[in-house]
Amino acid sequence: MIRGWYTGASGMNAQQNRLDAISNNLANVDTAGYKRDITVSKSFPELLIRRTNLDGVYHTTEGSADAAPVIGKLGLGVETNENYIDFAQGSFKSTNTKTDSALSGKGFYVIETPAGERYTRNGNFLIGKEGILETKDGYPVLGENGYIFLEDDKISINEDGIIARSDDGTEIDRFKVVRFDNERYLKKMGESLYSTNDIAGPAHIAEGNERPKFLQGYSETSNVNVVNEMVQMIEVNRAYEANQKTITSEDSMMSTLWQKVAQLN
């Protein structure tokens, strides 16, 4: 019976982790460039149950073997295996802003922050007070030559990410775009920014077929499907309630057992 408590509790913890991820996805459904979180669970190793003392142990010339028949397998609960980011392409929304640019394909803009370089899919940029292209949180966007200095928004951005003046075609810079070996394991840092780690691997410059296409005047929306997330939320709530009822039933049986033992004593 005590094992049943732990099994039910592990299921509740796993469902709580799923609910946290779904809630965060729904909260960021309107965040430009947001990528949904996915929680994966795995079961603990199962035990093989046999009936004991049925036929005993028989001996052969090669040793002994258990002759008790197999009853079945006993599960020991579930745990959260991993949380990863789904970088599926979001749809495109027209903003009619010259400094906005959406990425069509895999890749990340490079942003300079006080904590070092960070990466984002959110291409909603603006020109700061010092004439530097920045995110809406005030972090400079990096080009291949460093900061991107713009006098005004009279610019054009081609599919390769080259920024040029729209009046005379003078090339200003080219967006610095990077990729990772295991992008799904990047760490979210808030404000649509990501940081890398040992699992995701170091950032490397995206060139050739690895480099995404740029769409000026567009923004990439989140890849969260509200209907799917709501359906999953209902499934999580039902699974959580089922595990909760399991613990309640186990507790009731344990209470009855102790009462019977007390009466016998």
Side-chain angles (χ1 to χ4, degrees), residues 66-107:
D66 190 355
V70 174
I71 297 176
K73 294 182 179 180
L74 174 66
L76 298 178
V78 67
E79 66 174 343
T80 300
N81 187 31
E82 64 172 343
N83 294 307
Y84 70 92
I85 306 170
D86 177 15
F87 279 106
Q89 181 75 56
S91 58
F92 300 111
K93 178 181 178 181
S94 176
T95 62
N96 294 320
T97 302
K98 295 294 184 66
T99 54
D100 287 347
S101 179
L103 297 179
S104 176
K106 296 182 178 181

Side-chain angles (χ1 to χ4, degrees), residues 195-210:
S195 66
T196 188
N197 49 53
D198 293 337
I199 302 176
H204 62 270
I205 302 298
E207 291 291 355
N209 295 331
E210 281 195 327

Side-chain angles (χ1 to χ4, degrees), residues 17 30 48 93 101 110 117 178 197 213-214 260-261 264:
N17 291 334
D30 293 323
L48 185 63
K93 178 181 178 181
S101 179
V110 182
E117 288 189 355
V178 297
N197 49 53
K213 293 183 178 180
F214 294 75
K260 295 295 184 181
V261 171
L264 292 174

Side-chain angles (χ1 to χ4, degrees), residues 51-67:
R51 294 178 63 182
T52 60
N53 300 326
L54 181 66
D55 297 325
V57 177
Y58 64 87
H59 296 271
T60 66
T61 56
E62 297 179 356
S64 64
D66 190 355

Side-chain angles (χ1 to χ4, degrees), residues 3-215:
R3 184 186 291 120
W5 290 345
Y6 288 110
T7 301
S10 68
M12 293 173 68
N13 286 332
Q15 297 306 323
Q16 182 63 56
N17 291 334
R18 286 188 62 196
L19 184 62
D20 291 342
I22 294 172
S23 300
N24 190 51
N25 291 340
L26 290 173
N28 289 278
V29 66
D30 293 323
T31 302
Y34 177 81
K35 302 302 179 183
R36 62 189 288 260
D37 292 318
I38 298 178
T39 301
V40 180
S41 300
K42 70 175 182 180
S43 61
F44 290 118
E46 295 180 330
L47 293 179
L48 185 63
I49 304 176
R50 292 176 179 268
R51 294 178 63 182
T52 60
N53 300 326
L54 181 66
D55 297 325
V57 177
Y58 64 87
H59 296 271
T60 66
T61 56
E62 297 179 356
S64 64
D66 190 355
V70 174
I71 297 176
K73 294 182 179 180
L74 174 66
L76 298 178
V78 67
E79 66 174 343
T80 300
N81 187 31
E82 64 172 343
N83 294 307
Y84 70 92
I85 306 170
D86 177 15
F87 279 106
Q89 181 75 56
S91 58
F92 300 111
K93 178 181 178 181
S94 176
T95 62
N96 294 320
T97 302
K98 295 294 184 66
T99 54
D100 287 347
S101 179
L103 297 179
S104 176
K106 296 182 178 181
F108 299 85
Y109 294 105
V110 182
I111 311 298
E112 184 175 282
T113 72
E117 288 189 355
R118 295 294 183 262
Y119 315 98
T120 186
R121 293 279 303 184
N122 188 349
N124 292 348
F125 303 135
L126 49 83
I127 302 175
K129 295 181 180 180
E130 299 179 354
I132 299 175
L133 189 65
E134 301 175 345
T135 66
K136 292 188 176 181
D137 297 301
Y139 300 130
V141 183
L142 297 183
E144 294 183 342
N145 299 319
Y147 291 168
I148 302 175
F149 292 92
L150 301 175
E151 297 178 0
D152 49 47
D153 63 352
K154 295 179 180 179
I155 59 172
S156 63
I157 303 173
N158 66 9
E159 289 187 350
D160 194 41
I162 297 176
I163 308 169
R165 293 198 57 82
S166 55
D167 51 3
D168 58 9
T170 302
E171 184 175 322
I172 300 173
D173 206 338
R174 182 172 181 247
F175 279 113
K176 182 180 179 181
V177 178
V178 297
R179 293 284 304 277
F180 302 88
D181 294 333
N182 295 299
E183 297 171 345
R184 60 185 280 176
Y185 296 113
L186 290 173
K187 183 178 180 181
K188 291 184 177 181
M189 305 300 297
E191 300 174 342
S192 298
L193 299 177
Y194 300 90
S195 66
T196 188
N197 49 53
D198 293 337
I199 302 176
H204 62 270
I205 302 298
E207 291 291 355
N209 295 331
E210 281 195 327
R211 190 172 178 86
K213 293 183 178 180
F214 294 75
L215 300 176

